[in-house]
Amino acid sequence: MSLPPLTLYLAAPRGFCAGVDRAIKIVEMALEKWGAPVYVRHEIVHNKYVVDSLRDKGAVFVEELEECPPDRPVIFSAHGVPKAVPAEAAAREMVYVDATCPLVSKVHIEAARHSENGLQMIMIGHAGHPETVGTMGQLPDGEVLLVETPEDVDHVEVRDPDRLAFVTQTTLSLDDTAEIVAALRQRFPNIIGPHKEDICYATTNRQEAVKAMAPECDALLVVGAPNSSNSKRLVEVGARAGCRYAQLVQRAADIDWRALEGIGSIGITAGASAPEILIDEVIDAFRTRYDVTVETVTTAEENVEFKVPRVLREPA
Ligand code: SF4
């Protein structure tokens, strides 16, 4: 029986970013250096497959530092942590390695610098997301005001409208963030902010690739986790760019084949924490049902790499 034809547009870049790659390497190198168990505070990156693979190698995932025994190393996830967390680890004389992505650390430094200069900070981000919690936690409680939507900007109460600065979560939608920044600049014309928000290169590139291919696709699948901010944003960007069916899937088993009946083309991408093996699994699932022609849609080349912390490069 011949299979129906399907053009599969594959976004490039997609999947792992340099910060995720580094965070995973940190856990693997810590396991090599210190042996199991190595504790990891929060999912090292938001992906079940990655977390399960590291758990199989001896990583123990916890949500709070108090769940870790003081005599085992602990690693902080790529999303970053409030200042109080490494302080507490140091007070307990624990060995800890910070896997915070350097691009998130850069935002932490920015927030601290503005605050030292007497500016009140506003953060554009999602309430409760670990990156937002970590960035807001660089300053004392209540010092950073959170805005999630342009409407929030109307209600935010500031000390001095002329002494303000803002930072953003790194994994937001470029378009949504531009609207919030415009609202901030309109209400507070003297607010200081980064030149191009703090949205990172990986988030930007993955969203641009989806924008380029979405209008060509009958459907779009984003491989990623439901708690992955950048993956969820890719689904929204795809829908907004004109793709009538845009869905998040963690693995091939999540694909709703009935919803895809009659399509002639599909776009596939992956969030920054999704490994390539899961994208291959999804493509293979399409090959069992369709005569697939893969076309890669390349909108940027990436060659970013971050070093792991020195403690892991030194012999035990
Ligand atoms: S998505 Fe961006 S900020 Fe987050 S880990 Fe990757 S490179 Fe770093």
Side-chain angles (χ1 to χ4, degrees):
M1 197 183 73
S2 69
L3 298 172
L6 181 79
T7 306
L8 190 152
Y9 295 104
L10 191 54
R14 63 179 175 276
F16 273 12
C17 61
V20 162
D21 193 51
R22 171 180 180 266
I24 295 168
K25 263 191 211 143
I26 287 176
V27 179
E28 289 173 343
M29 289 173 79
L31 283 163
E32 263 171 43
K33 183 172 174 123
W34 290 299
V38 160
Y39 284 72
V40 184
R41 186 185 175 281
H42 195 67
E43 287 188 348
I44 185 74
V45 301
H46 284 157
N47 189 275
K48 185 177 172 340
Y49 180 91
V50 171
V51 168
D52 287 347
S53 313
L54 293 172
R55 193 181 281 122
D56 288 346
K57 294 179 186 170
V60 177
F61 291 88
V62 296
E63 279 310 309
E64 294 302 335
L65 206 53
E66 62 200 29
E67 298 167 61
C68 310
D71 58 345
R72 292 306 306 164
V74 59
I75 294 163
F76 305 143
S77 79
H79 314 95
V81 286
K83 243 185 170 167
V85 174
E88 189 192 331
R92 289 175 68 191
E93 296 183 356
M94 297 171 80
V95 171
Y96 66 88
V97 185
D98 191 351
T100 302
C101 174
L103 299 181
V104 175
S105 299
K106 184 172 144 263
V107 180
H108 290 182
I109 293 165
E110 243 171 62
R113 184 172 51 87
H114 286 314
S115 178
E116 275 163 27
N117 289 337
L119 302 180
Q120 189 177 17
M121 292 307 305
I122 294 181
M123 171 153 200
I124 304 173
H126 295 294
H129 187 280
E131 185 186 326
T132 300
V133 172
T135 301
M136 293 178 74
Q138 299 308 302
L139 297 178
D141 270 359
E143 268 304 298
V144 184
L145 305 168
L146 180 68
V147 296
E148 299 186 80
T149 62
E151 294 69 44
D152 286 352
V153 173
D154 297 336
H155 305 296
V156 75
E157 287 180 22
V158 302
R159 281 196 293 264
D160 178 349
D162 292 322
R163 306 278 301 147
L164 293 173
F166 74 88
V167 290
T168 79
Q169 200 178 316
T170 57
T171 51
L172 301 177
S173 146
L174 289 162
D175 297 334
D176 290 349
T177 309
E179 281 177 29
I180 301 172
V181 170
L184 278 174
R185 291 202 190 282
Q186 190 174 15
R187 184 166 170 213
F188 308 114
N190 293 327
I191 195 166
I192 292 173
H195 288 303
K196 238 180 102 300
E197 301 98 29
D198 296 303
I199 297 171
C200 75
Y201 80 96
T203 301
T204 305
N205 290 346
R206 280 150 193 69
Q207 288 181 19
E208 295 299 342
V210 164
K211 273 188 201 169
M213 72 183 193
E216 309 300 322
C217 304
D218 292 336
L220 171 78
L221 294 184
V222 177
V223 181
N227 57 346
S228 159
S229 170
N230 78 87
S231 303
K232 288 193 289 187
R233 301 297 82 78
L234 290 176
V235 174
E236 293 165 6
V237 167
R240 202 182 278 182
C243 189
R244 62 183 164 77
Y245 180 87
Q247 279 293 319
L248 189 69
V249 291
Q250 299 207 61
R251 303 196 62 148
D254 298 337
I255 300 170
D256 181 351
W257 296 107
R258 192 168 294 175
L260 296 177
E261 260 170 32
I263 59 165
S265 60
I266 182 95
I268 306 274
T269 187
S273 43
E276 193 66 14
I277 194 169
L278 298 183
I279 301 156
D280 290 343
E281 183 186 276
V282 166
I283 296 172
D284 287 346
F286 276 95
R287 288 193 199 282
T288 64
R289 289 172 167 82
Y290 294 91
D291 179 12
V292 173
T293 305
V294 175
E295 283 189 26
T296 304
V297 180
T298 307
T299 49
E301 302 286 345
E302 288 183 352
N303 50 15
V304 181
E305 214 177 306
F306 297 131
K307 275 189 184 161
V308 297
R310 182 170 301 175
V311 64
L312 293 170
R313 289 184 265 135
E314 289 164 351

